[in-house]
Amino acid sequence: MIKDKRLGFASIVVLATLAACGPSEPQAVKDDDPVATAPAEDVIGELPPPRTPTAATKAANQAIAERLPFDETSDWKDAERGFLASIEADAIRNADGDVVWSIPQFDFLDDDAPDTVNPSLWRQSQLAAKHGLFEVTEGIYQIRGYDLAVMTIISGETGWIIVDPLTAVETAAAALRLVNETLGERPVSAMIYTHSHVDHFGGARGILTDEGEQIPILAPVGFSESAVSENLLAGTHMGRRASLMFGNTIDRAPHAHVGSGLGPGLPNGTISLILPTEEVYGDGSPRTIDGVVFEFIDAAGTEAPAEFMFYLPETRALCTAEVATATLHNVLTPRGAKVRDARAWSKSIDRVLALYGDKSDVVFASHHWPTWGQENVSKFLERQRDIYRYIHDQTLRHANSGASQTEAAEAIEEASFQSEAFDTRGYYGTLNHNSKAVYQHYFGWWSGVPADYYALPRVETSERYVRAMGGAEQVLALAQASFAEGDYRWVAELLNHVVFAEPENVDARNWLAATYDQLGFQSESGAWRSYFLTAAQELRFGPPELEPLDSASAEFLRAVPSLDLFDALAARYDPDLLDRDPFAIEFTFTDTSETITLQINDAVIVPRDGGANDPLTSITMTRTDFDRLITRDVGAVRLVLTGRMKLEGDRDALTEMFDSLETPEFWFDIVEP
């Protein structure tokens, strides 16, 4: 349940939830964790210890090992090609000496795939963990393996053009140091964000450390709006789910997180945002940046609401951003976001294939490793185009024949080329989830079945199901029998009802955790694996007692437009907590020359640009101090006493309004009620 927490005026906290989406230090398994060293027998009633693969899981993973062409070596050659240098330290650290990214954290991947990991995911994780500075082609370099994403460095006439400065300030700064130490120090002459996801702009202030630096910062049209709306307005819920999806709170180990499929993982660093100096519509027209010719290609509404790819004609190099990478991506990410358009995604790739496929000697992206050779580039783009088209068309084919969302997803079998092309396999997105996303894109969340339209809440449904099946003990017995048969999806459904009906039922929690272990161990998707295994840990130990934010979130917040910031506050308004006639509060920010009015009505708060005719309360201060206030860097009393915050009118109304704003509990329950 979400806990009721009011938002006091003197301690307002806006969750700049890009920081919340970043990981905390991996939570170690407790000392009393009954870890087994020998596999458990699949016997009804015998609970397998944590970290233990069952016979069914071993068989499932062995079947993958026998079915896929693991003797294929081109990916290994590409992932290692052009290696120049790596970071020699044991870790990337922040200013306080805390570890942001441990360099050896994935060294265990040097071994053969264990029974606890799908061998296909193990292979992908091994490739993604290769770290260092690599040369892509003349004048183009990449930093890989120190973050979820990849940073690309292009040599301009006067300095480095940085493409996608990673997730965290610290990893971006370390990446730039490695570039300068290896290739010779040069200034940064331009920066490019390919799209509006945090792992591609969060490290910006690790690249541009001087507030006075004036360089071009280019992003696709709609970047600023998308970066704020996705990561601030919906950020608390999205960040909580991201903690499961990216395995932020579990070990980096063969029994836990081995990689996200898209990259090794998220760093535990400082999130920042520098807004672009220009948002560019990618129509393919040539554009020169520090002497380098770019041709930007619009890809909005594909992998991100705002995204572009680009072509560099002088080096015959194509950057596909995150539209085409070495995995099947998410049409709807498990962390939650606006559903993406698989048809537009496929068409966008087909467009660059038609325009640049026969002109490109190398294709590189914002994740993974490049592909070299014109023929290989074209084949890569064809496969990426076809996998999204396949999911789109087959989902609609089944839906138009009457299939529900779940039925359509279950009916879609692996495309024939997926058994040979590792870059189309579901290491991040999956056929099942992506098919459901296509269905949602066209038909919404509803299955079309009347009983689903106005269904009871999950807790109430679970309580009734458990009673109807004869009580918790009977359901547990049914689940144990299915567990012994390796029918883990059904076991999860059965036991989830018991846990939601009886959260304190230890047997049900332990068996459901064991079930999630097996589903995670078998998952080819790194996101699925981490979600299942983190859920198992939370069932055993509860959500982690970790602070999801730190004051460095101000690095993101200060770039947020003021109206968007007040929209985020308005989304936390509980009208039941305020008993007043409608009134207006006027904020004037002296450093940004802005005046914004909050109209507080019976049910909503409406932020509006401009002043009020007759505000009940007026506040004058700097936007900088307002940011510091809501991130707890300074208190309201101190601001008033020092004259940096001036209040006129009804102060009680102001206090009551702020007291009606809730701060949601970040670690709200997901795997239990």
Side-chain angles (χ1 to χ4, degrees):
M1 300 287 187
I2 296 177
K3 299 176 178 62
D4 180 23
K5 296 184 70 177
R6 298 185 186 181
L7 192 60
F9 174 46
S11 60
I12 307 165
V13 178
V14 172
L15 297 180
T17 47
L18 292 174
C21 290
S24 303
E25 283 292 321
Q27 179 174 317
V29 177
K30 307 297 189 296
D31 291 338
D32 58 353
D33 185 7
V35 177
T37 56
E41 298 294 329
D42 295 351
V43 179
I44 295 177
E46 184 175 337
L47 180 70
R51 306 185 186 178
T52 307
T54 62
T57 291
K58 292 179 182 180
N61 286 341
Q62 182 59 34
I64 290 288
E66 294 173 355
R67 182 166 68 86
L68 297 182
F70 284 94
D71 56 351
E72 190 278 334
T73 61
S74 63
D75 284 339
W76 297 97
K77 294 176 182 177
D78 287 346
E80 295 169 350
R81 178 170 170 171
F83 174 77
L84 297 174
S86 60
I87 295 175
E88 297 297 332
D90 64 338
I92 298 171
R93 301 176 184 273
N94 63 19
D96 295 327
D98 301 322
V99 174
V100 170
W101 183 266
S102 170
I103 305 297
Q105 64 182 304
F106 291 104
D107 284 356
F108 64 85
L109 290 167
D110 292 340
D111 295 331
D112 294 335
D115 292 329
T116 53
V117 185
N118 183 301
S120 184
L121 175 60
W122 186 264
R123 175 189 184 275
Q124 179 79 351
S125 298
Q126 288 178 313
L127 289 163
K130 293 185 178 297
H131 60 89
L133 171 65
F134 299 81
E135 183 178 28
V136 176
T137 190
E138 184 178 358
I140 303 175
Y141 308 88
Q142 286 191 317
I143 295 283
R144 305 199 290 267
Y146 302 116
D147 200 298
L148 182 68
V150 166
M151 187 170 91
T152 299
I153 306 95
I154 301 171
S155 181
E157 286 184 355
T158 66
W160 301 123
I161 301 168
I162 303 297
V163 180
D164 290 346
L166 304 179
T167 309
V169 169
E170 296 84 358
T171 53
L176 185 58
R177 280 196 301 272
L178 181 60
V179 170
N180 284 328
E181 290 169 0
T182 306
L183 301 175
E185 187 159 353
R186 306 183 79 201
V188 174
S189 56
M191 191 155 60
I192 295 172
Y193 307 137
T194 61
H195 60 291
S196 52
H197 291 155
V198 64
D199 50 323
H200 304 274
F201 65 76
R205 292 202 178 275
I207 301 299
L208 299 182
T209 57
D210 183 353
E211 293 283 347
E213 287 181 278
Q214 298 292 324
I215 65 168
I217 303 175
L218 276 61
V221 169
F223 171 89
S224 301
E225 179 183 357
S226 297
V228 170
S229 67
E230 180 167 312
N231 296 298
L232 184 63
L233 292 175
T236 303
H237 189 93
M238 191 181 298
R240 173 64 172 108
R241 280 166 53 167
S243 71
L244 282 87
M245 174 182 174
F246 290 106
N248 299 345
T249 61
I250 60 177
D251 288 342
R252 272 59 172 149
H255 64 273
H257 178 82
V258 300
S260 74
L262 191 64
L266 284 168
N268 182 32
T270 305
I271 307 297
S272 68
L273 172 61
I274 303 176
L275 292 178
T277 59
E278 182 181 357
E279 294 188 350
V280 177
Y281 177 70
D283 61 358
S285 299
R287 170 87 173 249
T288 301
I289 303 170
D290 192 21
V292 179
V293 177
F294 286 74
E295 295 178 20
F296 292 102
I297 309 111
D298 181 58
T302 59
E303 188 271 339
E307 187 154 2
F308 56 39
M309 299 177 276
F310 61 81
Y311 178 68
L312 303 171
E314 294 161 320
T315 50
R316 292 175 55 89
L318 174 67
C319 174
T320 53
E322 204 166 322
V323 181
T325 62
T327 181
L328 170 61
H329 212 291
N330 283 299
V331 179
L332 178 59
T333 172
R335 66 179 165 84
K338 295 176 182 178
V339 68
R340 298 154 185 173
D341 187 339
R343 176 172 168 268
W345 200 327
S346 177
K347 284 181 172 291
S348 182
I349 299 172
D350 189 52
R351 182 185 176 201
V352 295
L353 172 63
L355 292 175
Y356 302 107
D358 61 355
K359 299 178 183 178
S360 300
D361 295 327
V362 62
V363 58
F364 61 94
S366 301
H367 293 273
H368 303 128
W369 49 93
T371 296
W372 284 269
Q374 188 272 313
E375 183 178 353
N376 292 330
V377 169
S378 293
K379 287 181 178 179
F380 168 75
L381 294 173
E382 288 172 6
R383 294 191 300 263
Q384 290 285 305
R385 174 199 64 190
D386 290 354
I387 190 59
Y388 297 105
R389 186 86 199 197
Y390 172 76
I391 295 169
H392 174 273
D393 291 355
Q394 294 307 306
T395 299
L396 288 185
R397 180 173 72 87
H398 289 293
N400 286 327
S401 296
S404 69
Q405 183 185 65
T406 301
E407 291 166 343
E410 292 296 313
I412 297 178
E413 298 181 352
E414 192 175 283
S416 57
F417 57 86
Q418 287 185 280
S419 63
E420 299 292 333
F422 283 102
D423 55 57
T424 63
R425 298 200 63 79
Y427 299 121
Y428 194 51
T430 65
L431 286 174
N432 190 281
H433 270 192
N434 283 348
S435 173
K436 292 171 181 173
V438 171
Y439 189 101
Q440 178 178 324
H441 178 77
Y442 285 98
F443 310 114
W445 60 268
W446 183 36
S447 68
V449 177
D452 291 340
Y453 194 69
Y454 192 43
L456 291 165
R458 181 177 290 276
V459 170
E460 189 172 347
T461 300
S462 294
E463 290 172 348
R464 296 187 185 195
Y465 270 120
V466 170
R467 284 200 302 271
M469 287 187 281
E473 289 187 9
Q474 177 62 25
V475 179
L476 188 58
L478 292 170
Q480 289 170 333
S482 294
F483 188 98
E485 296 172 357
D487 193 1
Y488 302 124
R489 292 173 69 186
W490 174 237
V491 177
E493 185 165 338
L494 284 172
L495 292 178
N496 196 64
H497 283 310
V498 181
V499 169
F500 271 74
E502 301 180 6
E504 303 305 318
N505 190 316
V506 175
D507 286 340
R509 295 175 71 94
N510 286 338
W511 275 99
L512 183 54
T515 302
Y516 286 156
D517 279 344
Q518 305 312 312
L519 289 169
F521 293 161
Q522 293 183 30
S523 294
E524 189 174 26
S525 165
W528 278 36
R529 176 185 174 87
S530 290
Y531 214 102
F532 282 127
L533 297 184
T534 305
Q537 177 166 285
E538 292 194 8
L539 282 169
R540 292 178 175 120
F541 305 119
E545 296 180 0
L546 298 168
E547 178 61 41
L549 291 168
D550 78 4
S551 60
S553 61
E555 290 288 352
F556 169 78
L557 200 61
R558 62 175 166 163
V560 174
S562 296
L563 270 177
D564 291 328
L565 184 56
F566 282 111
D567 279 340
L569 286 173
R572 294 189 169 91
Y573 176 48
D574 183 350
D576 291 337
L577 299 178
L578 185 62
D579 185 17
R580 272 180 175 262
D581 292 334
F583 62 96
I585 297 177
E586 183 181 271
F587 285 85
T588 298
F589 296 138
T590 57
D591 56 342
T592 60
S593 300
E594 292 177 293
T595 299
I596 292 176
T597 296
L598 301 186
Q599 180 64 47
I600 296 91
N601 293 340
D602 291 339
V604 297
I605 293 178
V606 180
R608 179 182 298 160
D609 193 10
N613 291 330
D614 187 22
L616 193 60
T617 307
S618 296
I619 303 170
T620 302
M621 63 190 307
T622 65
R623 168 60 200 274
T624 300
D625 278 340
F626 187 72
D627 289 349
R628 296 181 66 217
L629 177 67
I630 62 180
T631 55
R632 297 179 179 176
D633 288 342
V634 67
V637 173
R638 180 180 176 188
L639 289 174
V640 171
L641 291 176
T642 58
R644 291 159 61 186
M645 179 178 179
K646 297 179 181 179
L647 300 174
E648 297 180 6
D650 189 336
R651 299 190 180 195
D652 290 339
L654 180 67
T655 301
E656 290 172 25
M657 186 276 290
F658 277 118
D659 282 345
S660 71
L661 305 181
E662 291 184 351
T663 298
E665 178 68 37
F666 180 79
W667 295 111
F668 61 82
D669 292 316
I670 289 180
V671 301
E672 59 182 302

